[in-house]
Amino acid sequence: MKAIYVRVSTDEQAEKGYSIDNQIDLCREKAGTDEFLKYVDDGYSGEFLDRPALSKLRDDLKNGLIDEVIVYDPDRLSRKLMNQLIISEEIEKRANLIFVNHDYQKTPEGMLFYQMRGAIAEFEKAKINERMSGGRKRKALDGKVVKNPNMYGYDYDKENSQLVINEKEAEIVRLIFDLFTKPNNNIQGINGIALYLTNQNIPTKKGKSVWHRQVVRQILMNEAYTGRFYHNRWNTEGMLGNKYRPKDERKPMTERPREEWIEISCPAIIDDDVFEHAQRLLAESRRRWAKKSNNQYLLSGLLRCGHCGNTMTGRRQKNWGNYVLEYSDIKNTAGAKNKGCGMRVKAETLEKEVWEQIKSYIHDPAELEKAANEPNEDNNFEQMEIERLENKINSAKEGRKRLLSLLAKGMDISDEEIREQLADLKEQEKQAERKLAELISKKKESQSSEYSKRLFSEVADYLLSIDDTELTFEDKQTIIRQIVKEIIIYKESIDIHVF
């Protein structure tokens, strides 16, 4: 039985007569009969071998159903030379392989020409990808959005290659930022916002009825809402084949260095200061919105021991026959790197002291302004660490240059030794760059903003308009979390760090 195999990828539909119907007609003519099995991979890249029709063809070959395979061109089997050779050899073990536009002969000369064709096809695919990528970059540099990002809050104007605000969705984006950043609401954290949007029957961008916390988080982290959309931010190389790979072997999308991003202006939905405040809260959200315990701790997620650096969590302890609530830095979990120095403080006493300080800020905003701008040891340490990491990155780069220079000069150093040292220096550089980015981000998040001042003004007006006894536990906790970034506990004192 004869078999015809045809393939076309999405970007080849209009190129070189590679349409499915045209390939089938030419292969049928080559076969000289209408009696054949047809295997069609429509819309599949030639970069990978795991294609439905090709897999079925290979299975039928193994089962002895086919004695002749006809293909339009060698690059229909694969765009990669190595894969092309693998499939060709597999077919020839069990059947005769014939190409429509290539006289395939299994002689030294024929194999050489076949491999040259395969190498040219692979090169051509790489050039196509390069041209497409270059074209997209040029378009982005001209201030145009390359393709529809399907971003909530915006529609895509294909004719002008621009984003335009979808007013209905933009209202929801503003609502999400308000719910996350403003005090005096009963919706807590990202998960609470997702549940609220779901309960309000607000559809997602894809028209789904359920909002997931990760979708809300992505909206809160998306800088495009401030009017800055980025092209070339993400490296998606190799991700096309993820649908063919097992889950544990799929290639992740990685972020490119910031200097490679291309900024494109778009209409803003959120003010810069609102976005910056949301980023500060996101940085603290994991600790702030930790799993609730059976007891209520007003300062949960905000405390750290000033001596050992451990976070301090609430717990219920028995003291002289009575149970009391306290905060402690002791970590008894298996694998804890730092067991803590044993710092303990009564929850009631500490919470009262912190709340009184918050009330003093309310009545004297100048005191809060002073606390927000006051330099501290953490800031000095962060600056020293930033300088140290920058020096380490520069040293690693210089070290790699020296090694390459020694290699160029033909010094008596083995290639293997140089590769190991280069890999080690590259890894040091990557780790230092990652830590540096985290520190710079943390430093930026700690800076005060006009939005923080306006937010505090809202809190102050609210507290001054009611009696302290009217505030619920949730009210107090929300207010504290809008003002306080972290509280450092020492044996004799406490330091309240505010936004």
Side-chain angles (χ1 to χ4, degrees):
M1 175 63 72
K2 293 185 178 183
I4 288 176
Y5 176 77
V6 295
R7 178 189 67 81
V8 66
S9 62
T10 305
D11 60 350
E12 291 172 330
Q13 295 288 349
E15 292 181 18
K16 304 181 181 178
Y18 276 169
S19 72
I20 292 293
D21 291 340
N22 189 44
Q23 288 183 63
I24 291 175
D25 289 343
L26 292 170
C27 288
R28 179 190 288 112
E29 185 179 332
K30 188 75 171 180
T33 177
D34 287 333
E35 295 181 1
F36 54 81
L37 296 174
K38 184 168 60 178
Y39 301 85
V40 179
D41 277 322
D42 191 357
Y44 284 86
S45 170
E47 185 177 355
F48 306 97
L49 291 181
D50 192 1
R51 295 171 242 144
L54 182 60
S55 297
K56 183 69 170 62
L57 172 64
R58 295 167 76 180
D59 287 340
D60 289 349
L61 279 165
K62 290 175 184 177
N63 293 329
L65 301 179
I66 299 167
D67 53 32
E68 186 172 286
V69 177
I70 302 168
V71 185
Y72 174 70
D73 187 271
D75 65 9
R76 298 302 85 201
L77 293 177
S78 178
R79 281 283 196 174
K80 284 192 171 183
L81 175 59
M82 183 58 69
N83 290 343
Q84 203 175 100
L85 294 174
I86 290 171
I87 294 299
S88 298
E89 184 178 1
E90 187 175 317
I91 292 173
E92 287 190 312
K93 285 180 180 179
R94 300 174 175 88
N96 189 27
L97 176 60
I98 297 173
F99 295 107
V100 172
N101 68 342
H102 172 63
D103 187 15
Y104 179 66
Q105 296 178 354
K106 200 167 184 181
T107 63
E109 293 80 5
M111 289 301 297
L112 175 61
F113 182 63
Y114 179 69
Q115 291 177 30
M116 287 173 63
R117 284 284 304 270
I120 291 169
E122 188 170 345
F123 171 75
E124 184 182 40
K125 179 66 174 178
K127 291 299 290 183
I128 290 171
N129 289 340
E130 184 182 4
R131 284 195 297 271
M132 290 177 65
S133 177
R136 288 192 292 263
K137 284 185 180 179
R138 285 192 295 274
K139 190 175 179 181
L141 288 169
D142 288 337
K144 296 181 179 180
V145 179
V146 175
K147 64 178 181 179
N148 186 0
N150 293 313
M151 191 190 313
Y152 195 85
Y154 294 98
D155 293 325
Y156 182 60
D157 180 355
K158 188 174 182 180
E159 184 177 344
N160 297 308
S161 299
Q162 296 293 333
L163 295 176
V164 293
I165 291 178
N166 179 318
E167 288 297 343
K168 190 174 181 179
E169 293 179 354
E171 287 182 16
I172 304 303
V173 172
R174 297 185 190 102
L175 173 64
I176 289 171
F177 275 87
D178 281 348
L179 292 176
F180 187 68
T181 61
K182 288 190 175 180
N184 309 326
N185 64 69
N186 296 319
I187 301 168
Q188 295 189 350
I190 296 173
N191 196 56
I193 296 172
L195 289 172
Y196 175 78
L197 296 175
T198 299
N199 293 336
Q200 293 297 312
N201 297 318
I202 297 170
T204 66
K205 188 69 174 179
K206 295 181 178 180
K208 304 293 185 181
S209 59
V210 177
W211 285 76
H212 294 283
R213 65 185 311 277
Q214 188 58 29
V215 175
V216 175
R217 184 177 180 85
Q218 287 171 350
I219 287 175
L220 289 167
M221 294 178 66
N222 193 341
E223 197 175 346
Y225 295 120
T226 65
R228 293 183 294 273
F229 178 78
Y230 293 102
H231 174 71
N232 204 47
R233 177 175 179 176
W234 301 101
N235 182 8
T236 58
E237 185 179 356
M239 289 186 63
L240 177 65
N242 279 347
K243 60 184 176 182
Y244 308 118
R245 299 187 182 104
K247 283 187 176 181
D248 58 345
E249 294 180 10
R250 291 177 183 174
K251 293 190 176 182
M253 182 168 62
T254 56
E255 196 173 63
R256 299 179 190 274
R258 182 92 186 193
E259 58 269 18
E260 294 183 17
W261 300 3
I262 301 173
E263 183 178 322
I264 303 170
S265 296
C266 65
I269 295 175
I270 298 297
D271 291 338
D272 281 334
D273 47 10
V274 176
F275 181 79
E276 288 172 9
H277 188 71
Q279 303 320 296
R280 290 197 291 271
L281 294 178
L282 280 168
E284 299 291 329
S285 63
R286 189 173 180 181
R287 287 176 57 196
R288 288 168 178 268
W289 307 113
K291 183 179 178 180
K292 291 184 178 179
S293 66
N294 294 328
N295 301 298
Q296 291 184 316
Y297 297 94
L298 189 64
L299 307 177
S300 175
L302 296 176
L303 303 180
R304 186 179 298 278
C305 175
H307 300 288
C308 69
N310 265 6
T311 56
M312 298 182 67
T313 53
R315 65 179 188 174
R316 184 169 174 260
Q317 286 291 106
K318 195 170 185 179
N319 185 24
W320 297 96
N322 296 318
Y323 283 99
V324 295
L325 301 182
E326 67 176 23
Y327 295 100
S328 172
D329 66 1
I330 298 173
K331 309 295 181 188
N332 292 322
T333 54
K337 294 180 179 179
N338 187 350
K339 297 292 184 180
C341 63
M343 174 69 76
R344 296 163 56 186
V345 59
K346 284 186 178 180
E348 183 181 4
T349 304
L350 180 61
E351 289 169 0
K352 183 178 179 181
E353 183 176 353
V354 170
W355 182 245
E356 289 300 320
Q357 183 62 61
I358 295 298
K359 288 199 296 182
S360 74
Y361 288 152
I362 299 299
H363 290 91
D364 187 3
E367 188 179 344
L368 177 63
E369 181 94 16
K370 180 181 176 183
N373 296 322
E374 192 174 71
N376 56 64
E377 292 182 4
D378 286 346
N379 290 339
N380 293 334
F381 171 77
E382 284 176 6
Q383 186 57 43
M384 291 172 60
E385 188 67 2
I386 285 173
E387 292 174 1
R388 184 188 71 81
L389 289 169
E390 287 175 342
N391 290 333
K392 187 171 183 179
I393 292 169
N394 290 332
S395 295
K397 288 180 177 177
E398 290 299 321
R400 287 163 58 202
K401 286 181 182 178
R402 286 194 296 270
L403 281 172
L404 292 172
S405 177
L406 291 174
L407 183 63
K409 292 177 180 178
M411 301 297 288
D412 189 18
I413 304 176
S414 68
D415 288 351
E416 185 177 351
E417 185 180 353
I418 287 180
R419 287 195 188 94
E420 288 177 358
Q421 292 185 43
L422 285 172
D424 183 55
L425 286 169
K426 183 63 178 176
E427 183 61 27
Q428 290 180 30
E429 185 181 337
K430 282 176 61 179
Q431 290 183 8
E433 285 176 342
R434 186 174 64 252
K435 290 179 181 178
L436 179 61
E438 290 172 358
L439 273 176
I440 291 174
S441 176
K442 183 178 178 183
K443 187 176 181 181
K444 182 180 178 181
E445 288 162 1
S446 68
Q447 295 171 347
S448 181
S449 69
E450 289 300 318
Y451 181 73
S452 298
K453 295 175 184 176
R454 294 203 306 270
L455 194 63
F456 174 72
S457 178
E458 292 180 23
V459 173
D461 291 343
Y462 174 67
L463 283 181
L464 293 172
S465 67
I466 63 172
D467 188 272
D468 193 22
T469 57
E470 296 179 33
L471 291 172
T472 64
F473 172 86
E474 288 75 18
D475 288 334
K476 289 184 177 181
Q477 190 174 62
T478 299
I479 290 166
I480 290 172
R481 286 175 171 176
Q482 294 296 334
I483 297 173
V484 177
K485 178 185 177 184
E486 190 172 51
I487 301 171
I488 309 298
I489 307 297
Y490 297 96
K491 289 181 180 179
E492 305 296 334
S493 64
I494 66 171
D495 283 348
I496 302 176
H497 295 186
V498 298
F499 284 118

